[in-house]
Amino acid sequence: KMSKQKNAEARGYAMAELKKMNLRVIPSYTNFIFFSLGNYPGEFAEDMMKKNVALRSNTYPDGKWCRLSVGTLEEMQQFFKIMKSSFNS
């Protein structure tokens, strides 16, 4: 029960951060979130790997998308610090 609660808290935080960045987010009740990368220039997964963040991004007919695994709240906070710096570069 505690694990589900902590996962829901971290997922909720992550989804809210993505929405603040005006990125399209697919509703999730699992341990991952699927979101659009919008107009991100370049290869997001490669750029994040250079910052020691491993994730997967793909291009689909309607644009670039990313699958983000939900970690702890602290891990999600760190991820968004790094992600926002990548979007603002």
Side-chain angles (χ1 to χ4, degrees):
K1 185 175 179 178
M2 182 181 72
S3 294
K4 283 184 173 183
Q5 184 178 20
K6 288 184 179 262
N7 182 266
E9 180 183 10
R11 183 180 57 244
Y13 167 81
M15 291 177 71
E17 289 298 309
L18 292 165
K19 289 176 183 176
K20 285 182 199 174
M21 296 176 71
N22 295 316
L23 298 174
R24 185 172 162 212
V25 181
I26 303 297
S28 175
Y29 300 95
T30 65
N31 66 340
F32 68 89
I33 301 167
F34 201 58
F35 66 95
S36 168
L37 292 168
N39 295 324
Y40 186 81
E43 177 49 52
F44 185 68
E46 286 179 19
D47 294 345
M48 294 298 284
M49 185 59 83
K50 292 175 188 171
K51 297 176 181 182
N52 295 318
V53 176
L55 46 74
R56 184 181 328 167
S57 64
N58 292 296
T59 301
Y60 296 96
D62 65 340
K64 295 179 184 180
W65 288 79
C66 182
R67 183 184 189 272
L68 171 65
S69 294
V70 176
T72 65
L73 180 59
E74 294 79 17
E75 289 168 337
M76 295 292 92
Q77 291 167 337
Q78 182 64 25
F79 169 76
F80 280 99
K81 285 180 190 173
I82 296 168
M83 181 180 171
K84 287 176 182 178
S85 72
S86 292
F87 268 75
N88 296 326
S89 308

XYZ file of all heavy atoms in Angstrom:
721
model
N 0.825 -1.187 0.000
C 0.000 0.000 0.000
C 0.874 1.258 0.000
O 0.609 2.211 -0.715
C -0.937 -0.034 1.212
C -1.914 1.094 1.251
C -2.885 0.936 2.421
C -3.840 2.104 2.464
N -4.812 1.968 3.549
N 1.931 1.244 0.810
C 2.824 2.393 0.885
C 3.540 2.605 -0.453
O 3.694 3.737 -0.913
C 3.859 2.199 2.003
C 4.793 3.392 2.147
S 6.040 3.160 3.430
C 7.107 1.955 2.664
N 3.970 1.511 -1.107
C 4.652 1.622 -2.404
C 3.737 2.228 -3.450
O 4.154 3.093 -4.232
C 5.134 0.254 -2.875
O 6.137 -0.229 -2.028
N 2.479 1.791 -3.483
C 1.514 2.349 -4.433
C 1.306 3.834 -4.191
O 1.209 4.622 -5.129
C 0.164 1.626 -4.326
C 0.138 0.284 -4.980
C -1.269 -0.286 -4.908
C -1.405 -1.551 -5.698
N -2.779 -2.062 -5.694
N 1.236 4.219 -2.930
C 1.035 5.626 -2.573
C 2.234 6.472 -3.005
O 2.069 7.543 -3.593
C 0.807 5.748 -1.070
C 0.489 7.143 -0.609
C 0.222 7.194 0.900
O 0.610 6.313 1.658
N -0.450 8.247 1.319
N 3.442 5.981 -2.742
C 4.643 6.731 -3.134
C 4.765 6.817 -4.657
O 5.162 7.839 -5.202
C 5.890 6.094 -2.523
C 5.983 6.330 -1.035
C 7.278 5.768 -0.476
C 7.361 6.030 0.998
N 8.153 7.182 1.328
N 4.406 5.728 -5.363
C 4.436 5.740 -6.824
C 3.429 6.752 -7.360
O 3.746 7.518 -8.273
C 4.150 4.346 -7.372
C 4.210 4.310 -8.879
O 3.184 4.450 -9.543
N 5.392 4.115 -9.426
N 2.242 6.785 -6.789
C 1.211 7.725 -7.236
C 1.656 9.164 -7.001
O 1.427 10.044 -7.847
C -0.102 7.444 -6.515
N 2.315 9.423 -5.881
C 2.806 10.769 -5.583
C 3.874 11.193 -6.599
O 3.813 12.300 -7.148
C 3.390 10.805 -4.170
C 3.934 12.156 -3.772
C 4.577 12.148 -2.390
O 4.787 11.063 -1.800
O 4.895 13.247 -1.907
N 4.837 10.325 -6.864
C 5.904 10.649 -7.823
C 5.344 10.791 -9.232
O 5.731 11.695 -9.984
C 6.985 9.573 -7.779
N 4.421 9.920 -9.608
C 3.791 9.988 -10.935
C 2.993 11.282 -11.079
O 3.074 11.969 -12.096
C 2.890 8.775 -11.153
C 2.247 8.729 -12.533
C 1.349 7.508 -12.726
N 0.312 7.447 -11.712
C 0.178 6.491 -10.805
N 1.018 5.465 -10.782
N -0.795 6.507 -9.916
N 2.243 11.641 -10.058
C 1.470 12.880 -10.085
C 2.360 14.101 -10.231
O 2.058 15.019 -11.007
N 3.461 14.109 -9.497
C 4.427 15.207 -9.615
C 4.967 15.286 -11.037
O 5.001 16.365 -11.644
C 5.576 14.999 -8.617
C 6.748 15.897 -8.887
C 6.749 17.212 -8.451
C 7.854 15.446 -9.617
C 7.824 18.061 -8.722
C 8.914 16.274 -9.893
C 8.899 17.587 -9.441
O 9.955 18.411 -9.726
N 5.380 14.144 -11.579
C 5.968 14.118 -12.920
C 4.961 14.581 -13.977
O 5.293 15.376 -14.864
C 6.486 12.718 -13.250
N 3.744 14.104 -13.880
C 2.729 14.492 -14.861
C 2.439 15.991 -14.772
O 2.281 16.661 -15.793
C 1.467 13.655 -14.674
C 1.707 12.193 -15.067
S 0.309 11.100 -14.810
C -0.781 11.677 -16.093
N 2.404 16.523 -13.563
C 2.177 17.963 -13.391
C 3.328 18.772 -13.997
O 3.097 19.804 -14.644
C 2.009 18.292 -11.909
N 4.555 18.324 -13.804
C 5.720 19.022 -14.369
C 5.678 19.009 -15.896
O 5.986 20.013 -16.543
C 7.019 18.410 -13.867
C 7.307 18.686 -12.409
C 7.476 20.166 -12.114
O 8.256 20.849 -12.805
O 6.813 20.647 -11.169
N 5.316 17.878 -16.477
C 5.217 17.784 -17.935
C 4.145 18.724 -18.468
O 4.346 19.401 -19.478
C 4.925 16.341 -18.353
C 6.067 15.354 -18.111
C 5.563 13.922 -18.196
C 7.203 15.606 -19.088
N 3.031 18.799 -17.771
C 1.953 19.696 -18.197
C 2.383 21.157 -18.084
O 2.053 21.974 -18.941
C 0.687 19.425 -17.398
C 0.049 18.102 -17.790
C -1.167 17.775 -16.941
C -1.715 16.403 -17.318
N -2.835 16.005 -16.459
N 3.161 21.490 -17.037
C 3.690 22.853 -16.891
C 4.583 23.221 -18.068
O 4.697 24.379 -18.443
C 4.497 22.992 -15.601
C 3.687 23.077 -14.352
C 4.641 23.259 -13.171
C 3.991 22.912 -11.866
N 4.960 22.952 -10.751
N 5.232 22.196 -18.632
C 6.112 22.420 -19.785
C 5.322 22.404 -21.099
O 5.905 22.457 -22.166
C 7.210 21.353 -19.809
C 8.149 21.417 -18.626
S 9.351 20.065 -18.631
C 10.392 20.547 -20.001
N 4.001 22.324 -20.982
C 3.105 22.285 -22.142
C 3.362 21.091 -23.054
O 3.272 21.204 -24.279
C 3.166 23.593 -22.937
C 2.639 24.749 -22.133
O 1.610 24.642 -21.474
N 3.352 25.854 -22.152
N 3.696 19.949 -22.442
C 3.899 18.719 -23.190
C 2.676 17.834 -23.030
O 2.090 17.750 -21.950
C 5.154 17.990 -22.704
C 6.460 18.764 -22.895
C 7.608 18.016 -22.243
C 6.739 19.012 -24.361
N 2.286 17.185 -24.100
C 1.130 16.287 -24.078
C 1.491 15.025 -23.292
O 2.513 14.392 -23.555
C 0.747 15.941 -25.505
C -0.496 15.119 -25.595
C -0.919 14.972 -27.035
N -1.849 13.859 -27.134
C -1.953 13.086 -28.181
N -1.219 13.300 -29.248
N -2.804 12.098 -28.193
N 0.634 14.667 -22.340
C 0.875 13.516 -21.466
C -0.293 12.547 -21.591
O -1.452 12.943 -21.497
C 1.002 13.969 -19.992
C 1.272 12.780 -19.091
C 2.072 15.028 -19.843
N 0.017 11.277 -21.786
C -1.013 10.239 -21.800
C -1.326 9.886 -20.343
O -0.398 9.584 -19.584
C -0.531 8.978 -22.560
C -0.102 9.311 -23.986
C -1.597 7.886 -22.528
C -1.176 9.851 -24.888
N -2.584 9.935 -19.923
C -2.904 9.575 -18.531
C -2.328 8.205 -18.170
O -2.364 7.275 -18.967
C -4.436 9.554 -18.515
C -4.831 10.462 -19.634
C -3.771 10.269 -20.699
N -1.791 8.101 -16.958
C -1.148 6.866 -16.530
C -1.547 6.505 -15.102
O -1.693 7.385 -14.253
C 0.373 7.015 -16.597
O 1.013 5.870 -16.079
N -1.677 5.224 -14.861
C -1.923 4.693 -13.520
C -0.905 3.585 -13.244
O -1.139 2.715 -12.415
C -3.358 4.157 -13.420
C -4.360 5.247 -13.701
C -4.885 5.420 -14.978
C -4.730 6.150 -12.706
C -5.772 6.454 -15.249
C -5.612 7.186 -12.980
C -6.135 7.327 -14.247
O -6.998 8.362 -14.518
N 0.218 3.645 -13.956
C 1.246 2.603 -13.876
C 2.548 3.214 -13.374
O 2.570 4.339 -12.877
C 1.465 1.976 -15.267
O 1.997 2.977 -16.142
C 0.158 1.440 -15.841
N 3.644 2.505 -13.563
C 4.943 3.010 -13.134
C 5.718 3.648 -14.292
O 6.934 3.777 -14.233
C 5.776 1.892 -12.495
C 6.145 0.817 -13.489
O 5.524 0.673 -14.542
N 7.165 0.048 -13.158
N 5.012 4.051 -15.346
C 5.660 4.802 -16.420
C 4.688 5.818 -16.997
O 3.478 5.719 -16.821
C 6.213 3.893 -17.519
C 5.157 3.183 -18.326
C 4.621 3.770 -19.464
C 4.705 1.933 -17.955
C 3.655 3.126 -20.204
C 3.740 1.276 -18.683
C 3.207 1.879 -19.816
N 5.253 6.824 -17.661
C 4.482 7.898 -18.275
C 4.948 8.043 -19.712
O 6.151 8.059 -19.991
C 4.705 9.230 -17.531
C 4.294 9.091 -16.062
C 3.942 10.370 -18.200
C 4.760 10.241 -15.199
N 4.011 8.160 -20.616
C 4.286 8.345 -22.041
C 3.922 9.787 -22.370
O 2.797 10.212 -22.128
C 3.450 7.358 -22.843
C 3.948 7.072 -24.225
C 5.221 6.566 -24.451
C 3.135 7.285 -25.318
C 5.674 6.280 -25.726
C 3.578 7.009 -26.601
C 4.850 6.503 -26.796
N 4.904 10.559 -22.892
C 4.640 11.970 -23.159
C 5.296 12.425 -24.454
O 6.298 11.882 -24.895
C 5.088 12.854 -21.990
C 6.571 12.882 -21.757
C 7.361 13.879 -22.307
C 7.180 11.920 -20.969
C 8.730 13.918 -22.077
C 8.548 11.947 -20.738
C 9.323 12.951 -21.299
N 4.706 13.463 -25.032
C 5.220 14.047 -26.269
C 6.422 14.929 -25.948
O 6.435 15.620 -24.921
C 4.120 14.895 -26.920
O 4.667 15.683 -27.958
N 7.383 14.925 -26.838
C 8.543 15.801 -26.674
C 8.334 17.156 -27.359
O 9.248 17.975 -27.401
C 9.798 15.119 -27.221
C 10.242 13.914 -26.399
C 11.301 13.121 -27.140
C 10.751 14.349 -25.037
N 7.143 17.362 -27.867
C 6.839 18.658 -28.480
C 7.784 18.982 -29.613
O 8.049 18.155 -30.479
N 8.341 20.166 -29.560
C 9.264 20.625 -30.610
C 10.722 20.455 -30.211
O 11.574 21.225 -30.645
C 8.986 22.098 -30.923
C 7.620 22.291 -31.523
O 7.151 21.447 -32.286
N 6.972 23.379 -31.178
N 11.010 19.465 -29.384
C 12.390 19.273 -28.934
C 13.308 19.085 -30.133
O 13.099 18.197 -30.954
C 12.505 18.061 -28.004
C 13.879 17.929 -27.423
C 14.254 18.684 -26.330
C 14.822 17.091 -27.996
C 15.528 18.586 -25.798
C 16.102 16.985 -27.477
C 16.450 17.742 -26.379
O 17.715 17.652 -25.869
N 14.344 19.926 -30.239
C 15.266 19.810 -31.377
C 16.340 18.753 -31.083
O 17.052 18.836 -30.098
C 15.892 21.193 -31.459
C 15.880 21.681 -30.040
C 14.647 21.066 -29.403
N 16.435 17.750 -31.879
C 17.474 16.748 -31.680
C 16.926 15.440 -31.143
O 15.725 15.207 -31.127
N 17.842 14.597 -30.687
C 17.490 13.272 -30.171
C 17.516 13.316 -28.644
O 18.591 13.321 -28.024
C 18.461 12.226 -30.707
C 18.248 10.833 -30.191
C 16.797 10.353 -30.278
O 16.191 10.443 -31.369
O 16.276 9.902 -29.249
N 16.343 13.368 -28.044
C 16.201 13.547 -26.602
C 16.906 12.448 -25.803
O 17.648 12.739 -24.866
C 14.718 13.606 -26.233
C 14.460 13.899 -24.793
C 14.761 15.136 -24.260
C 13.904 12.942 -23.965
C 14.524 15.416 -22.928
C 13.658 13.206 -22.629
C 13.964 14.451 -22.112
N 16.696 11.193 -26.147
C 17.306 10.088 -25.393
C 18.829 10.178 -25.424
O 19.485 9.979 -24.399
C 16.829 8.749 -25.938
N 19.400 10.511 -26.565
C 20.864 10.655 -26.660
C 21.345 11.829 -25.814
O 22.362 11.725 -25.118
C 21.281 10.859 -28.112
C 21.198 9.620 -28.963
C 21.612 9.874 -30.408
O 22.293 10.886 -30.681
O 21.226 9.056 -31.259
N 20.626 12.946 -25.883
C 21.010 14.122 -25.102
C 20.945 13.838 -23.607
O 21.818 14.258 -22.843
C 20.117 15.318 -25.451
C 20.314 15.794 -26.878
O 21.326 15.409 -27.517
O 19.462 16.560 -27.365
N 19.922 13.112 -23.183
C 19.790 12.787 -21.765
C 20.848 11.772 -21.332
O 21.365 11.846 -20.216
C 18.380 12.273 -21.470
C 17.304 13.330 -21.654
S 17.462 14.750 -20.542
C 16.876 14.024 -19.026
N 21.205 10.825 -22.197
C 22.237 9.842 -21.864
C 23.570 10.534 -21.582
O 24.320 10.116 -20.703
C 22.383 8.813 -22.987
C 23.350 7.701 -22.667
S 22.922 6.751 -21.198
C 21.744 5.629 -21.877
N 23.850 11.609 -22.297
C 25.075 12.377 -22.046
C 25.081 12.956 -20.642
O 26.134 13.301 -20.111
C 25.212 13.496 -23.077
C 25.484 12.989 -24.479
C 25.485 14.124 -25.478
C 25.557 13.588 -26.902
N 25.350 14.637 -27.897
N 23.897 13.067 -20.033
C 23.761 13.588 -18.671
C 23.479 12.457 -17.683
O 22.978 12.678 -16.588
C 22.652 14.635 -18.634
C 22.979 15.832 -19.514
C 21.848 16.824 -19.559
C 22.251 17.975 -20.482
N 21.238 19.012 -20.544
N 23.797 11.229 -18.096
C 23.643 10.024 -17.265
C 22.194 9.704 -16.904
O 21.920 9.175 -15.836
C 24.500 10.119 -15.999
C 25.966 10.149 -16.324
O 26.431 9.413 -17.191
N 26.710 11.006 -15.659
N 21.276 10.040 -17.810
C 19.869 9.703 -17.627
C 19.481 8.769 -18.761
O 19.566 9.138 -19.931
C 18.970 10.960 -17.647
C 17.506 10.570 -17.546
C 19.357 11.912 -16.525
N 19.069 7.551 -18.416
C 18.702 6.566 -19.425
C 17.188 6.525 -19.576
O 16.467 6.384 -18.593
C 19.221 5.188 -19.030
N 16.727 6.694 -20.791
C 15.317 6.555 -21.116
C 15.182 6.258 -22.586
O 16.167 6.161 -23.305
C 14.492 7.782 -20.708
C 15.011 9.174 -21.043
C 14.874 9.475 -22.497
C 14.264 10.185 -20.221
N 13.951 6.109 -23.029
C 13.712 5.740 -24.414
C 12.831 6.795 -25.061
O 11.834 7.210 -24.498
C 12.998 4.390 -24.447
C 12.783 3.849 -25.826
C 12.051 2.528 -25.831
N 12.355 1.718 -24.657
C 11.686 0.664 -24.295
N 10.662 0.251 -24.996
N 12.013 -0.020 -23.232
N 13.213 7.236 -26.249
C 12.337 8.117 -27.015
C 12.245 7.561 -28.424
O 13.148 6.892 -28.906
C 12.855 9.557 -27.024
O 14.096 9.662 -27.671
N 11.122 7.821 -29.064
C 10.866 7.313 -30.405
C 10.131 8.369 -31.213
O 9.439 9.219 -30.661
C 9.992 6.054 -30.362
C 10.718 4.884 -29.752
O 11.709 4.423 -30.288
N 10.240 4.407 -28.625
N 10.238 8.266 -32.518
C 9.487 9.144 -33.399
C 8.340 8.348 -34.005
O 8.526 7.241 -34.491
C 10.389 9.715 -34.507
O 11.454 10.443 -33.883
C 9.616 10.643 -35.416
N 7.163 8.910 -33.903
C 5.939 8.319 -34.453
C 5.394 9.286 -35.496
O 5.857 10.430 -35.594
C 4.919 8.076 -33.338
C 5.392 7.059 -32.330
C 6.016 7.443 -31.146
C 5.241 5.709 -32.573
C 6.472 6.503 -30.232
C 5.694 4.754 -31.656
C 6.299 5.173 -30.493
O 6.750 4.238 -29.596
N 4.393 8.885 -36.257
C 3.859 9.774 -37.289
C 3.419 11.147 -36.763
O 3.506 12.135 -37.478
C 2.671 8.995 -37.860
C 3.038 7.564 -37.642
C 3.781 7.554 -36.329
N 2.991 11.210 -35.500
C 2.544 12.497 -34.962
C 3.606 13.190 -34.118
O 3.312 14.111 -33.378
C 1.248 12.335 -34.175
C 1.419 11.479 -32.925
O 2.388 10.709 -32.852
O 0.570 11.597 -32.036
N 4.864 12.781 -34.204
C 5.941 13.479 -33.511
C 6.784 12.580 -32.632
O 6.685 11.362 -32.665
N 7.629 13.229 -31.840
C 8.541 12.531 -30.941
C 7.873 12.307 -29.588
O 7.248 13.206 -29.045
C 9.806 13.362 -30.729
C 10.632 13.552 -31.979
C 11.835 14.413 -31.674
C 12.631 14.720 -32.919
N 13.787 15.552 -32.624
N 8.064 11.107 -29.038
C 7.488 10.736 -27.755
C 8.553 10.093 -26.875
O 9.566 9.602 -27.366
C 6.337 9.754 -27.946
C 5.126 10.397 -28.538
C 4.928 10.707 -29.853
C 3.976 10.839 -27.848
N 3.715 11.306 -30.020
C 3.099 11.392 -28.793
C 3.578 10.812 -26.512
C 1.867 11.926 -28.450
C 2.348 11.326 -26.170
C 1.510 11.878 -27.132
N 8.298 10.076 -25.573
C 9.230 9.490 -24.613
C 8.462 8.658 -23.600
O 7.355 9.016 -23.202
C 9.977 10.607 -23.896
S 11.203 10.021 -22.730
N 9.075 7.560 -23.190
C 8.519 6.715 -22.117
C 9.424 6.894 -20.908
O 10.607 6.577 -20.942
C 8.500 5.250 -22.548
C 7.877 4.330 -21.512
C 7.996 2.882 -21.992
N 7.254 1.960 -21.177
C 7.729 1.367 -20.082
N 8.956 1.623 -19.661
N 6.984 0.509 -19.412
N 8.851 7.409 -19.840
C 9.589 7.711 -18.614
C 9.151 6.760 -17.504
O 7.969 6.697 -17.178
C 9.295 9.166 -18.194
C 9.804 9.618 -16.835
C 11.335 9.615 -16.802
C 9.264 11.015 -16.532
N 10.084 6.033 -16.932
C 9.776 5.188 -15.783
C 9.693 6.070 -14.542
O 10.512 6.967 -14.353
C 10.858 4.130 -15.573
O 10.868 3.226 -16.651
N 8.708 5.807 -13.702
C 8.523 6.587 -12.485
C 9.425 6.024 -11.400
O 9.414 4.827 -11.125
C 7.048 6.548 -12.029
C 6.872 7.291 -10.711
C 6.141 7.123 -13.105
N 10.215 6.895 -10.799
C 11.067 6.519 -9.677
C 10.526 7.122 -8.402
O 9.329 7.394 -8.290
N 11.397 7.379 -7.462
C 10.988 8.045 -6.228
C 10.722 9.515 -6.525
O 11.130 10.042 -7.570
C 12.085 7.955 -5.156
O 13.231 8.692 -5.608
C 12.456 6.505 -4.859
N 10.058 10.191 -5.627
C 9.797 11.618 -5.807
C 11.115 12.379 -5.988
O 11.229 13.242 -6.866
C 9.006 12.172 -4.624
C 8.664 13.656 -4.695
C 7.847 13.976 -5.947
C 7.924 14.091 -3.446
N 12.118 12.029 -5.195
C 13.420 12.694 -5.298
C 14.058 12.450 -6.670
O 14.653 13.352 -7.257
C 14.354 12.224 -4.178
C 13.902 12.638 -2.792
C 12.785 11.764 -2.213
O 12.536 10.634 -2.709
O 12.126 12.227 -1.256
N 13.942 11.230 -7.176
C 14.485 10.923 -8.508
C 13.750 11.704 -9.589
O 14.371 12.210 -10.533
C 14.391 9.425 -8.787
C 15.356 8.602 -7.959
C 15.088 7.108 -8.011
O 13.941 6.684 -8.305
O 16.042 6.350 -7.745
N 12.449 11.858 -9.445
C 11.664 12.608 -10.432
C 12.032 14.096 -10.380
O 12.164 14.744 -11.420
C 10.162 12.438 -10.198
C 9.651 11.019 -10.413
S 9.715 10.466 -12.146
C 11.307 9.676 -12.238
N 12.258 14.621 -9.194
C 12.664 16.020 -9.061
C 14.018 16.252 -9.732
O 14.209 17.237 -10.446
C 12.702 16.426 -7.588
C 11.320 16.493 -6.980
C 11.330 16.592 -5.465
O 12.293 16.205 -4.788
N 10.234 17.095 -4.911
N 14.948 15.339 -9.525
C 16.260 15.442 -10.169
C 16.135 15.322 -11.685
O 16.765 16.062 -12.434
C 17.210 14.370 -9.622
C 18.597 14.420 -10.196
C 19.337 15.711 -9.846
O 19.057 16.367 -8.853
N 20.278 16.085 -10.684
N 15.311 14.386 -12.147
C 15.094 14.220 -13.581
C 14.608 15.523 -14.209
O 15.106 15.938 -15.250
C 14.089 13.097 -13.848
C 13.622 13.061 -15.282
C 14.445 12.552 -16.282
C 12.384 13.564 -15.639
C 14.034 12.542 -17.613
C 11.957 13.549 -16.968
C 12.785 13.043 -17.950
N 13.640 16.179 -13.575
C 13.087 17.394 -14.181
C 14.070 18.558 -14.163
O 14.052 19.392 -15.065
C 11.737 17.753 -13.570
C 10.646 16.917 -14.173
C 10.166 15.797 -13.519
C 10.155 17.195 -15.433
C 9.196 14.990 -14.100
C 9.194 16.393 -16.033
C 8.716 15.296 -15.361
N 14.960 18.613 -13.187
C 16.020 19.630 -13.232
C 16.871 19.429 -14.480
O 17.186 20.367 -15.201
C 16.907 19.547 -11.984
C 16.289 20.088 -10.747
C 17.252 19.960 -9.579
C 16.562 20.273 -8.282
N 17.420 20.011 -7.114
N 17.249 18.184 -14.725
C 18.083 17.864 -15.891
C 17.297 18.051 -17.182
O 17.794 18.643 -18.143
C 18.633 16.427 -15.772
C 19.566 16.317 -14.567
C 19.337 16.002 -17.059
C 19.932 14.904 -14.182
N 16.065 17.566 -17.210
C 15.251 17.666 -18.423
C 15.013 19.117 -18.807
O 15.155 19.492 -19.967
C 13.912 16.965 -18.223
C 13.031 17.016 -19.455
S 11.475 16.184 -19.136
C 10.577 16.625 -20.621
N 14.668 19.946 -17.837
C 14.392 21.358 -18.137
C 15.637 22.057 -18.666
O 15.535 22.893 -19.564
C 13.842 22.065 -16.896
C 12.416 21.641 -16.592
C 11.904 22.268 -15.318
C 10.495 21.791 -15.010
N 9.979 22.339 -13.758
N 16.796 21.684 -18.168
C 18.033 22.293 -18.687
C 18.271 21.866 -20.131
O 18.797 22.636 -20.920
C 19.234 21.943 -17.812
O 19.614 20.589 -17.968
N 17.863 20.645 -20.488
C 18.004 20.176 -21.864
C 17.054 20.926 -22.793
O 17.396 21.233 -23.923
C 17.725 18.667 -21.963
O 18.728 17.950 -21.307
N 15.834 21.190 -22.334
C 14.860 21.908 -23.154
C 15.242 23.376 -23.304
O 14.883 24.002 -24.279
C 13.456 21.793 -22.557
C 12.674 20.628 -23.103
C 12.948 19.335 -22.703
C 11.681 20.821 -24.050
C 12.235 18.249 -23.212
C 10.956 19.758 -24.560
C 11.247 18.471 -24.146
N 15.965 23.910 -22.335
C 16.330 25.331 -22.361
C 17.700 25.581 -22.977
O 18.151 26.703 -23.016
C 16.272 25.921 -20.961
C 14.876 25.903 -20.404
O 13.911 26.065 -21.135
N 14.755 25.707 -19.107
N 18.374 24.522 -23.439
C 19.728 24.680 -24.015
C 19.651 25.271 -25.396
O 18.792 25.089 -26.157
C 20.436 23.345 -24.122
O 20.425 22.651 -22.930
